[in-house]
Amino acid sequence: MPMRWIAVSLFLLCAGCAPVVVGTGATGVYKSASDERTFGNQVDDATLTARVKTALAECREVPTFSVDVDTIEGVVTLTGIVDNEGVVRNVEAVVRKVSGVKGVNNLLQLGTTSIGQALDDKVVGIKVKSELIASPDVDALHIDVDVNNGVVTLTGVLKSAAMRDEAVRLADRLVGVKRVVDNLVVR
């Protein structure tokens, strides 16, 4: 077994993924049932995301833990922080070769992140998600929140432009948010 797979396996084991997977089961069922995409499209997107993550994990030139992958209707969105333009190009090239990818929205940022910044980003992400959940005007279960160096990326499928605008407004007003990237689709 390649050393990279051992590292990934140990990380997932140590990160406590099992309770998260079990604990989010009911949420996943609700999210799936109320998503604006068909169930088939949701499965296709989840499968494509898994294939993209596998392809990235198998590529030695890509820092697997630095790249987050989200897929909506075959369009893959990449977020995260990498250290040089060559890595950005390598990641995108790997993703484009995966069967079923219709497009790539490459939002990778160049730079580094300190442990303190990573913790700040986690806190900002929790604050954004909490604001979205607390709002009666936003269907927060359909919004994925990623934060990298204070840049918040909102990804998901919503029922209305008003809901999308409110989600962006709520995220943008929070302390610690430098910018909001709207990657929300209205269906």
Side-chain angles (χ1 to χ4, degrees), residues 81 113 116-126 147-151 176:
I81 300 171
T113 300
Q117 181 63 55
L119 290 173
D120 288 347
D121 287 345
K122 290 292 181 193
V123 170
V124 168
I126 291 168
V147 184
N148 295 291
N149 283 347
V151 177

Side-chain angles (χ1 to χ4, degrees), residues 5 49-60 62 94-95 98:
W5 284 107
T49 295
R51 288 200 322 255
V52 167
K53 287 180 179 181
T54 299
L56 291 173
E58 291 173 347
C59 182
R60 293 185 187 272
V62 174
V94 168
V95 173
V98 175

Side-chain angles (χ1 to χ4, degrees), residues 1-90:
M1 178 180 275
M3 191 56 118
R4 189 172 193 138
W5 284 107
I6 293 170
V8 170
S9 299
L10 287 173
F11 173 79
L12 293 175
L13 182 63
C14 293
C17 290
V20 173
V21 171
V22 172
T24 59
T27 302
V29 170
Y30 170 77
K31 184 175 179 177
S32 176
S34 62
D35 196 306
E36 293 302 305
R37 296 171 291 171
T38 67
F39 182 72
N41 283 348
Q42 291 174 56
V43 171
D44 291 346
D45 286 344
T47 302
L48 187 55
T49 295
R51 288 200 322 255
V52 167
K53 287 180 179 181
T54 299
L56 291 173
E58 291 173 347
C59 182
R60 293 185 187 272
E61 295 82 32
V62 174
T64 305
F65 298 118
S66 301
V67 179
D68 183 71
V69 178
D70 295 303
T71 307
I72 297 177
E73 298 174 350
V75 177
V76 176
T77 298
L78 305 168
T79 56
I81 300 171
V82 296
D83 59 5
N84 66 64
E85 188 64 39
V87 174
V88 172
R89 286 190 305 271
N90 285 341

